[in-house]
């Protein structure tokens, strides 16, 4: 596995893989890897002759410097895991390599980035889109792999690629969960020992909504959301930040579930915010 920290080294490695006729797959990450990230690597490996993973904790997508400073980092372990998966190249640039230009240029995707996560974390998706666009320009992947765990992010990146005619296929991979259903996340290490049940209430609420839809044929989203919210508000020390049912393509809230929809939510526990979602098909 080649480990590079500069843009020119990354370009060189990709160039020789491409001239050998290989399809280039990219898995962008912020490190502190878990099974969710590794599932994206496996998806890329199964379809691409050359898989690159990036590790970069991107400061421009953090709203608070505290969150950025405390974001878990473990480069040694990450590299070991990626090597075991047979990744061809890891691009792990320092901050200065990614943001060398003093003049800022940003990608702003508009309305989709101002709702849900974007409303609670202003500027977050501008930072995400900008760094993903930079990674696409550096690695020039044929395919790029993202998790449905961050559904809004995936939808926004697909929109960016389409709107800006970027020559890359964006592939969404299913959410990987821990054995009790909690979505794998780098931030799960901040869940205190006695907090696990509370942390699971968002997933339980999503599952309840899915069950009411599929087993009791309730399609009215006001009823579904009321039942879902009850599961979360039962816990006084869990802050429900949002829980909504939307169209699965454009994230617009819907009144009735017809076809493919998304139920997505966010909660805040003492030291961590958790987000999760399920695709609802009816
Ligand atoms: P992050 O390191 O949190 O920026 O995530 C890097 C990529 O991994 C993003 O595309 C995430 O959506 C994806 N990802 C994070 N957690 C999971 C998960 N539990 N299942 C699948 N993909 C995930």
């Amino acid at each position: 596995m080649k480990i590079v920290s500069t843009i020119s080294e990354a370009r060189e490695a990709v160039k020789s893989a491409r001239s050998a006729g290989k399809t280039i797959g990219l898995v962008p990450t912020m490190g502190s890897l878990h099974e969710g990230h590794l599932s994206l690597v496996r998806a890329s490996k199964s379809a691409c002759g050359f898989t690159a993973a990036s590790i970069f904790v991107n400061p421009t997508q953090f709203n608070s410097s505290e969150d950025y400073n405390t974001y878990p980092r473990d480069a040694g372990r990450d590299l070991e895991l990626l090597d075991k998966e047979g990744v061809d190249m890891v691009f792990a640039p320092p901050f200065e390599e990614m943001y060398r230009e003093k003049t800022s240029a940003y990608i702003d995707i508009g309305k989709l980035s101002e709702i849900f996560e974007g409303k609670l974390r202003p500027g977050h998706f501008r930072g995400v889109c900008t760094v993903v666009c930079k990674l696409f320009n550096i690695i020039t992947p044929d395919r790029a792999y993202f998790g449905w765990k961050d559904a809004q992010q995936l939808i926004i990146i697909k929109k960016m690629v389409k709107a800006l005619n970027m020559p890359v296929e964006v592939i969404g991979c299913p959410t990987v969960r821990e054995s009790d259903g909690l979505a794998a996340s780098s931030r799960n290490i901040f869940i205190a020992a006695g907090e696990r049940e509370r942390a699971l209430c968002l997933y339980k609420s999503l599952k309840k909504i899915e069950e009411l839809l599929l087993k009791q044929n309730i399609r009215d989203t006001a009823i579904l959301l009321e039942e879902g919210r009850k599961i979360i508000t039962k816990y006084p020390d869990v802050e429900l930040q949002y829980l909504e049912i939307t169209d699965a393509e454009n994230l617009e809230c819907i009144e009735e579930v017809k076809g493919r929809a998304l139920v997505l939510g966010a909660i805040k526990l003492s030291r961590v915010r958790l987000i999760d979602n399920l695709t609802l098909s009816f």
Side-chain angles (χ1 to χ4, degrees):
M1 182 175 77
K2 203 173 174 67
I3 302 163
V4 301
S5 59
T6 65
I7 294 169
S8 58
E9 289 170 301
R11 286 204 166 122
E12 206 48 51
V14 170
K15 195 174 158 195
S16 63
R18 184 160 276 132
S19 58
K22 292 180 178 168
T23 302
I24 313 296
L26 172 66
V27 179
T29 83
M30 295 206 298
S32 192
L33 303 180
H34 50 67
E35 277 299 314
H37 299 111
L38 300 182
S39 73
L40 307 186
V41 167
R42 287 170 201 144
S44 173
K45 289 274 303 169
S46 72
C48 306
F50 182 91
T51 291
S54 60
I55 300 178
F56 181 61
V57 183
N58 174 37
T60 66
Q61 71 188 69
F62 283 81
N63 305 80
S64 86
S65 52
E66 191 200 340
D67 190 20
Y68 173 68
N69 291 330
T70 59
Y71 194 83
R73 292 160 171 91
D74 192 345
R77 182 178 164 273
D78 289 346
L79 294 175
E80 235 173 70
L81 289 169
L82 294 173
D83 192 26
K84 241 188 239 162
E85 294 296 331
V87 162
D88 297 285
M89 179 182 79
V90 177
F91 176 52
F95 169 81
E96 300 73 34
E97 185 70 5
M98 287 300 276
Y99 293 104
R100 196 174 294 171
E101 294 298 319
K102 291 276 180 286
T103 321
S104 343
Y106 291 103
I107 303 275
D108 194 335
I109 219 74
K111 208 179 127 221
L112 269 182
S113 60
E114 285 155 20
I115 54 176
F116 308 135
E117 286 304 292
K119 194 168 174 186
L120 289 153
R121 306 176 67 188
H124 169 66
F125 288 116
R126 191 173 82 153
V128 169
C129 287
T130 303
V131 81
V132 169
C133 172
K134 285 164 81 68
L135 289 168
F136 285 178
N137 287 337
I138 294 163
I139 308 290
T140 62
D142 300 291
R143 299 197 175 106
Y145 294 82
F146 292 86
W148 267 106
K149 154 76 172 36
D150 299 282
Q152 187 176 5
Q153 170 175 283
L154 173 61
I155 289 166
I156 285 175
I157 287 168
K158 281 191 169 186
K159 162 117 180 159
M160 170 182 82
V161 161
K162 202 167 170 203
L164 299 176
N165 311 98
M166 295 177 169
V168 53
E169 188 186 349
V170 174
I171 292 155
C173 300
T175 300
V176 172
R177 299 183 178 279
E178 297 186 9
S179 56
D180 55 7
L182 190 72
S185 165
S186 306
R187 289 186 170 95
N188 286 357
I189 58 161
F190 296 128
I191 299 170
E195 235 177 9
R196 190 78 184 184
E197 189 190 332
R198 273 168 275 164
L200 272 166
C201 72
L202 175 56
Y203 176 61
K204 287 190 177 148
S205 154
L206 302 176
K207 288 301 277 181
K208 177 75 183 175
I209 288 172
E210 183 187 52
E211 182 194 314
L212 291 173
L213 175 75
L214 296 181
K215 297 208 175 127
Q216 294 189 39
N217 201 13
I218 300 173
R219 296 199 239 172
D220 183 326
T221 58
I223 299 173
L224 292 170
L225 288 170
E226 192 187 334
E227 292 304 315
R229 287 184 185 125
K230 270 187 207 161
I231 292 179
I232 298 170
T233 52
K234 211 163 66 182
Y235 297 94
D237 38 11
V238 174
E239 180 193 332
L240 172 57
Q241 297 198 314
Y242 62 86
L243 183 71
E244 299 294 347
I245 299 177
T246 72
D247 179 282
E249 305 291 321
N250 61 22
L251 288 179
E252 277 175 22
C253 290
I254 52 175
E255 288 179 3
E256 196 188 341
V257 181
K258 303 179 227 155
R260 234 175 118 247
L262 199 63
V263 53
L264 70 173
I267 57 170
K268 195 160 183 285
L269 306 181
S270 58
R271 283 187 62 211
V272 65
R273 274 188 86 237
L274 299 174
I275 61 170
D276 202 351
N277 68 85
L278 284 180
T279 301
L280 304 170
S281 295
F282 195 76

